[in-house]
Amino acid sequence: MDFPSDLIRFLTKAERVSVLTGAGASQESGLRTFRDSQSGLWAQYRPEDLASPEAFARDPKLVWDWYAWRREAIKGVRPNAGHYALVEMENKIPTFTLVTQNVDGLHRFAGSRNLLELHGNILRVRCANCGTFTETWGDDTESVPKCERCSGLLRPDVVWFGEALPRAELESAVNAAREAQVFFSIGTSGVVQPAAALAHAARNKGAVVVEINAEPTPLTPKTDFAFHGKSGEILPELVKAVWGNNSR
Ligand code: NAD
Ligand code: ZN
């Protein structure tokens, strides 16, 4: 792919770069985005009807089982070339912040260091009542496992529709967007707030905004550069075009 020389120049000189990723960044690892239809057992449900406090209150076991199924899917996948290209980029840029809406932990697995997981991490579990974190829980075939401390129900440590984002992470993400000279929006449909507002915050402060997505999004008209295709292909090519093959 040919990248505009302006973009190459901006990136070569950039001291501060911030990146926002969404479910599309994990698509090539084999994880479904929310916009793909669900498969098998879960085809009859919309994610919006499972990933909410109301859904958990109504039928905790159904929600627990959906997350258990997604957790299993994640255990079998690996980061893709796009995740690794972002690690390469972090190695080149003095101040680099990666903000993700993904809960799959693949950026950390790939080696990204300055990472803000805005929507939590599906591999962690906490008590819905007292908030205590746990890494182990009992048998969940019959019912949702309970907190050892207060007997509250355990739930995934993710942000559900209608819940607030973790304040410290959100604040850091907004600051990183405002300070960025180049801001990337990658594999996110740009409709989930407030993460989608980050690109606008960056743009308002004068950042060059770059989108990489399988298809145009509501953000596309507001970007300086938009590349439509797979992030696992475009990102490694871009990193190679800017910094060469293996110069660290
Ligand atoms: P989304 O499902 O709304 O949008 C995904 C976007 O990725 C779409 O715009 C699509 O065009 C694009 N895309 C698909 N494949 C791509 C590829 N190979 N390369 C580049 N782009 C690609 O997801 P979202 O914007 O992240 O927001 C929805 C919510 O979904 C978030 O809250 C997130 O937490 C949650 N979610 C997370 C995961 C995960 O952790 N892997 C998976 C599904 C949903
Ligand atoms: Zn508890």
Side-chain angles (χ1 to χ4, degrees):
M1 178 178 279
D2 269 341
F3 296 98
S5 55
D6 276 357
L7 175 60
I8 306 270
R9 199 159 34 85
F10 287 134
L11 281 170
T12 309
K13 290 195 300 189
E15 305 250 314
R16 299 181 303 281
V17 171
S18 300
V19 177
L20 170 68
T21 63
S26 295
Q27 189 264 340
E28 289 155 88
S29 291
L31 295 177
R32 292 172 166 271
T33 69
F34 274 3
R35 296 167 93 236
D36 293 335
S37 58
Q38 300 222 85
S39 64
L41 212 53
W42 301 98
Q44 56 179 311
Y45 300 100
R46 296 189 314 154
E48 295 88 329
D49 297 333
L50 294 166
S52 74
E54 293 78 17
F56 190 64
R58 196 166 49 229
D59 192 344
K61 184 67 164 67
L62 179 78
V63 173
W64 176 270
D65 285 348
W66 183 57
Y67 278 96
W69 172 75
R70 290 179 61 197
R71 207 178 284 124
E72 279 311 306
I74 284 168
K75 282 185 186 153
V77 306
R78 294 289 171 268
N80 64 59
H83 292 107
Y84 291 116
L86 290 172
V87 178
E88 287 279 299
M89 206 187 280
E90 181 164 18
N91 290 338
K92 307 291 181 192
I93 305 282
T95 303
F96 180 89
T97 308
L98 177 51
V99 182
T100 188
Q101 301 174 93
N102 296 341
V103 297
D104 54 35
L106 287 178
H107 286 301
R108 198 172 296 281
F109 193 130
S112 287
R113 296 177 300 276
N114 194 22
L115 174 67
L116 299 166
E117 291 178 318
L118 274 193
H119 290 172
N121 192 310
I122 201 174
L123 303 171
R124 281 193 310 259
V125 163
R126 66 175 148 93
C127 172
N129 182 49
C130 75
T132 302
F133 288 96
T134 177
E135 284 175 11
T136 52
W137 50 88
D139 183 47
D140 65 357
T141 40
E142 292 299 321
S143 56
V144 176
K146 292 195 170 128
C147 173
E148 284 191 355
R149 197 178 272 184
C150 77
S151 297
L153 294 180
L154 296 182
R155 57 163 284 178
D157 185 31
V158 299
V159 177
W160 280 332
F161 290 103
E163 291 186 320
L165 275 71
R167 184 191 298 238
E169 273 84 355
L170 180 60
E171 236 173 66
S172 304
V174 171
N175 287 338
R178 288 193 178 136
E179 287 166 6
Q181 294 161 315
V182 182
F183 182 93
F184 284 90
S185 177
I186 303 173
T188 171
S189 53
V191 293
V192 178
Q193 291 294 357
L198 292 175
H200 295 284
R203 184 180 139 90
N204 290 343
K205 289 283 182 177
V208 171
V209 176
V210 187
E211 176 175 72
I212 299 176
N213 198 299
E215 54 189 46
T217 72
L219 179 69
T220 308
K222 303 269 166 76
T223 61
D224 299 282
F225 302 96
F227 303 102
H228 295 126
K230 292 175 184 258
S231 55
E233 293 171 4
I234 295 172
L235 273 171
E237 283 183 34
L238 179 62
V239 166
K240 191 172 152 197
V242 179
W243 292 285
N245 248 339
N246 46 19
S247 54
R248 282 251 149 134

